[in-house]
Amino acid sequence: MTGKVYLVGAGPGGLSLLTFRAREVIDKADVILYDQLPGEEILSSLPAKAEKIDVGKWGGHHTMPQEEIESLMVRLASAGKNVVRLKGGDPFVFGRGGEEMETLRAAGIPVEAVPGITSGIAVPESVGIPVTHRDFASSVTFITGHESEKEESAIDWAWLALSPGTIVIYMGVKNIPQISTRLIENGMDSLTKVAVIENGFRENQRVTCTTLEELPAKAEEVGFKAPAIIVIGEVVSLYRG
Ligand code: SAH
C-alpha cells in the first residue's frame, strides 16, 4: 500500500510552538526528511524509531537538490512508508511545500500539509512587534529577499514602496543593500523604521533597529546572519528590548 507524505511546519523554533498535529504525525513517521531550520530543540525530539535524513537545505547550502528531495519522497511513499518532510515555520510560506505537493499529487501519492507558525509573524511578535496594528498598519506584505537581486523581479517594488502597510522580508540578509535601494528609489521614506531579528526564539537571538537609509551601513557594521526576519514599517516603533 502507498504511504503518505506529510509536509509539516515545525514553527519558528522550540517545542512549545509546534502544533499537536505536527507532533502526532512526526511521532508516527517511518521516515523524516529534515533540515536545520526547525532548530535544535525540535530536531533532538525526533523519534528514535524513525529513519532520519538530513536534506539540509537552507542558508544557501543545498546538501540535497530539491528535485532529489521530491523524488526521494515519492520513492519512499511508493514503498509504503509514511514520510514527514519537516520544515521551519509553515510549509507553504517560502518553504517549497507547494511545489512538493504538486509533485506528490502528480505521482498519485496522498499528501497532507500540516500548518506551522510562520517566522515572519512570530519572530517580530516575540520582540513586541505586531505586523498589523490599527494605528500603524492595516496590511502586511510578506516577500522573499531573493527577488531584490533580480532585474526582472516578481515583486512590484513601485507598489510596495508606496504601500502604507508593514513589509516582512524572509531570506533578506544577503540582499540588504538592494532592498534598501529599491524601496527608497521607488519613493519609500528613507527614515522608515526597520528591525532585523536574527535567530528568533534561539539563545543567540539579536535585534537591530535602524532606518531604511541606514540599513546597509548597519548590515556592514553588525554583520547580520541568516536566519533573520526584516520588518519595515511604523510597527517597529513598538519594539521593546
Ligand atoms: N517556511 C518558513 C520560511 C522558510 S524560508 C517559515 O514559514 O517561517 C527561511 C527564512 O525564514 C530565513 O531566511 C528567515 O528569513 C526566516 N526564518 C525562519 N526561522 C527563523 C528564525 N527562527 N528567526 C529568524 N528568521 C527565521
Side-chain angles (χ1 to χ4, degrees):
M1 212 178 80
T2 309
K4 185 167 172 179
V5 175
Y6 299 88
L7 305 171
V8 179
L15 285 169
S16 60
L17 296 177
L18 187 77
T19 68
F20 280 107
R21 181 64 183 148
R23 184 79 265 169
E24 194 171 65
V25 300
I26 288 168
D27 289 344
K28 279 198 217 143
D30 299 311
V31 188
I32 301 173
L33 276 54
Y34 68 97
D35 53 56
Q36 298 305 313
L37 195 56
E40 200 37 50
E41 198 182 32
I42 288 172
L43 295 180
S44 59
S45 83
L46 300 181
K49 66 170 179 51
E51 182 188 346
K52 292 171 275 293
I53 304 172
D54 184 355
V55 296
K57 50 170 299 299
W58 72 277
H61 302 287
H62 291 224
T63 57
M64 191 184 284
Q66 181 65 18
E67 310 79 70
E68 246 172 77
I69 297 176
E70 291 176 15
S71 54
L72 180 61
M73 288 195 285
V74 170
R75 269 203 317 280
L76 289 166
S78 304
K81 310 264 190 211
N82 282 322
V83 181
V84 162
R85 170 69 181 105
L86 190 66
K87 293 165 181 290
D90 182 273
F92 282 1
V93 179
F94 303 126
R96 300 192 127 176
E99 292 152 61
E100 292 168 2
M101 180 180 65
E102 288 184 274
T103 303
L104 293 159
R105 278 181 182 165
I109 309 282
V111 52
E112 176 183 326
V114 179
I117 297 177
T118 191
S119 58
I121 297 174
V123 169
E125 182 164 18
S126 72
V127 297
I129 302 174
V131 293
T132 71
H133 184 294
R134 277 164 62 104
D135 296 336
F136 303 119
S138 296
S139 64
V140 53
T141 307
F142 299 101
I143 68 166
T144 155
H146 283 167
E147 282 296 323
S148 64
E149 61 192 18
K150 297 185 191 155
E151 196 72 35
E152 297 274 308
S153 176
I155 291 168
D156 183 346
W157 293 93
W159 174 83
L160 195 61
L162 299 176
S163 93
T166 304
I167 302 172
V168 173
I169 307 177
Y170 293 70
M171 298 175 280
V173 163
K174 271 194 271 170
N175 296 319
I176 279 179
Q178 294 90 319
I179 290 166
S180 172
T181 307
R182 283 206 146 175
L183 289 172
I184 293 172
E185 272 176 6
N186 281 288
M188 191 169 214
D189 183 350
S190 59
L191 298 178
T192 306
K193 296 181 175 64
V194 180
V196 180
I197 309 146
E198 303 163 78
N199 287 301
F201 295 98
R202 299 183 189 171
E203 274 175 20
N204 53 347
Q205 174 175 292
R206 180 165 68 165
V207 186
T208 307
C209 291
T210 183
T211 60
L212 196 54
E213 76 182 345
E214 293 296 328
L215 181 62
K218 263 287 185 229
E220 286 268 313
E221 180 192 323
V222 175
F224 299 124
K225 297 240 161 42
I229 287 290
I230 303 169
V231 187
I232 303 177
E234 263 317 292
V235 288
V236 169
S237 62
L238 294 170
Y239 167 68
R240 285 292 173 275

